[in-house]
Structure formats: C-alpha cells, structure tokens
C-alpha cells in the first residue's frame, strides 16, 4: 500500500506547479553517497577546480576552468565490474521529504563525484530532480532502502542534482547530450564522461508506479553497458 503522502501527489504531474519545498537542506541522507574523503574536505569560499569530463566523442569543455583538471586517461579501463542488483523484499517505500540539497552545490559536487569515481573505479550516477517532485522523492526513498544504499555505494558515486523549477543546473546534463524536460532524469556515466544510458535517461520518471526491484534492475542494466 502506498503512503498517504504518495497518494496526495498521485494526481499531480512532475511539472513545477506545486509550492517550492525548502531547497537549502544539506542533509542528503542515504540518497547522497559521497566518499569519506569529500566529507573531510574543509569548506572553502572558492570551490576547488575539478574537471567535469567532456562527453565522449569530442565535446569541448564549456569554460576555461573546466579545462584545468583532467580525469586519468585510463580511468574507464579500471572500472570495477558492476555487482548484480540486490533482491529486494520491499514492494513499496516511503518518499524522502527533501532529498535534494541547495541547487548551487551541484556543480562542485558533480565535479568531485567524477574525481572520486576515477579514484575508486566506480561509475557516476547523476539524479536530476527537485524536492517538489513526487517521483523524485519516491526514487530517493528507494535509494534509501538499506540493501539498495549498500549496492549503490559499492558501484556508483551518486549525486542528486537540484534543478528547482527546471531552470537550474540543466547544463550539467546538456554537457552529455541530454535535454531535461521532465524529472527525475538519471544519467549513468563513466569517470571519463561516457554516458551509458543515452536513450533511457527519463525511464525512471514514473518511479511511483515502479517497484523498487524494477528500479534497481534498470540501473544495473545501464551499468553493464
């Protein structure tokens, strides 16, 4: 049985028509899986420069700052084989109330995610969404299931990217040839920026109507490419 909160949103569409939720919470919970090294990095008023890898196929960096740091050339070759998706007993989940941090954190978090992925031989999982979006919050609830959280941490560096009212951080997706028109939109990328699910990035857009098992099975399939 779905929760009453999910029912409340059932008739709403994933368009920016609901009142904006508080977008400045920094508690990402299990949905935000970053390395302990990142957690220990002192805050600075000037973000450390870390390159967003260009999409495979010769896309050029958007700025001079983007060109400053390079992901190791053999990062993709060192990728760990993805572990099979866990078998889940859960059939429904509670939606996470505010899984997305402040939108202005995303560029730095995404840059650091690619560096962490290259160092730990994992893939990058970018989840574009917003706290007003019911499917985004259900997807975050699935990611918070204990078995799913452990599987994600082993295989991916996960970053929830707040797009607010579909007007912020869209360039972080367009860099890889993806135009965000609905959320959640999920990109699975190698450390060097190769998009593994170019034709199915919006497939989790109806997460409320998908079982948790179907969600993790699809992500596992993307990681195999």
């Amino acid at each position: 049985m779905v929760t009453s909160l999910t029912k409340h949103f059932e008739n709403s569409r994933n368009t920016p028509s609901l009142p904006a939720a508080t977008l400045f919470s920094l508690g990402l919970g299990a949905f935000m899986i970053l390395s302990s090294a990142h957690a220990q990095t002192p805050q600075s008023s000037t973000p450390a420069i870390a390159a967003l890898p260009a999409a495979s196929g010769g896309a050029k960096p958007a700025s001079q700052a983007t060109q400053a740091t390079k992901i190791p050339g053999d990062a993709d070759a060192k990728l760990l084989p993805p572990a099979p998706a866990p078998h889940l007993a859960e059939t429904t989940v509670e939606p996470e109330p505010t899984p997305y941090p402040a939108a202005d954190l995303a560029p730095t978090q995404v840059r650091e995610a690619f560096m962490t992925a290259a160092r730990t031989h994992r893939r990058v999982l970018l989840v574009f969404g917003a706290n007003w979006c019911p499917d985004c919050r259900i997807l975050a609830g699935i990611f918070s299931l204990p078995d799913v959280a452990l599987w994600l941490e082993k295989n991916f560096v996960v970053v929830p990217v707040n797009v607010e009212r579909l007007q912020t951080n869209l360039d972080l997706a367009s860099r890889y040839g993806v135009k965000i028109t609905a959320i959640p939109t999920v990109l699975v990328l190698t450390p060097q920026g190769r998009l593994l699910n170019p034709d199915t990035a919006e497939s989790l857009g109806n997460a409320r109507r998908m079982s948790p098992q179907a969600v993790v099975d699809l992500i596992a399939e993307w990681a195999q490419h």
Side-chain angles (χ1 to χ4, degrees), residues 122-207:
R122 289 180 285 170
R123 292 150 188 81
V124 175
L125 188 68
L126 303 182
V127 187
F128 294 84
N131 291 324
W132 55 262
C133 163
D135 284 307
C136 300
R137 293 165 60 192
I138 286 291
L139 184 60
I142 294 172
F143 282 13
S144 296
L145 294 173
D147 288 344
V148 177
L150 288 173
W151 176 73
L152 289 172
E153 183 174 14
K154 181 177 180 180
N155 292 279
F156 304 94
V157 182
V158 182
V159 184
V161 179
N162 193 339
V163 300
E164 296 184 331
R165 299 280 162 172
L166 299 186
Q167 87 282 16
T168 304
N169 290 323
L170 305 185
D171 59 310
L172 297 177
S174 63
R175 179 175 188 79
Y176 304 103
V178 176
K179 181 179 181 180
I180 294 181
T181 59
I183 52 175
T185 293
V186 180
L187 308 186
V188 180
L189 300 121
T190 67
Q192 289 184 296
R194 182 167 66 91
L195 181 61
L196 301 180
N197 62 325
D199 300 321
T200 52
E202 294 185 357
S203 295
L204 298 179
N206 61 341

Side-chain angles (χ1 to χ4, degrees), residues 15-34:
T15 55
S17 58
L18 299 176
T22 299
L23 300 178
F24 296 95
S25 170
L26 300 181
L28 309 185
F31 187 40
M32 179 79 174
I33 305 173
L34 292 175

Side-chain angles (χ1 to χ4, degrees), residues 2 11 13 110 119:
V2 295
N11 293 324
R13 298 180 62 187
V110 171
R119 186 174 63 250

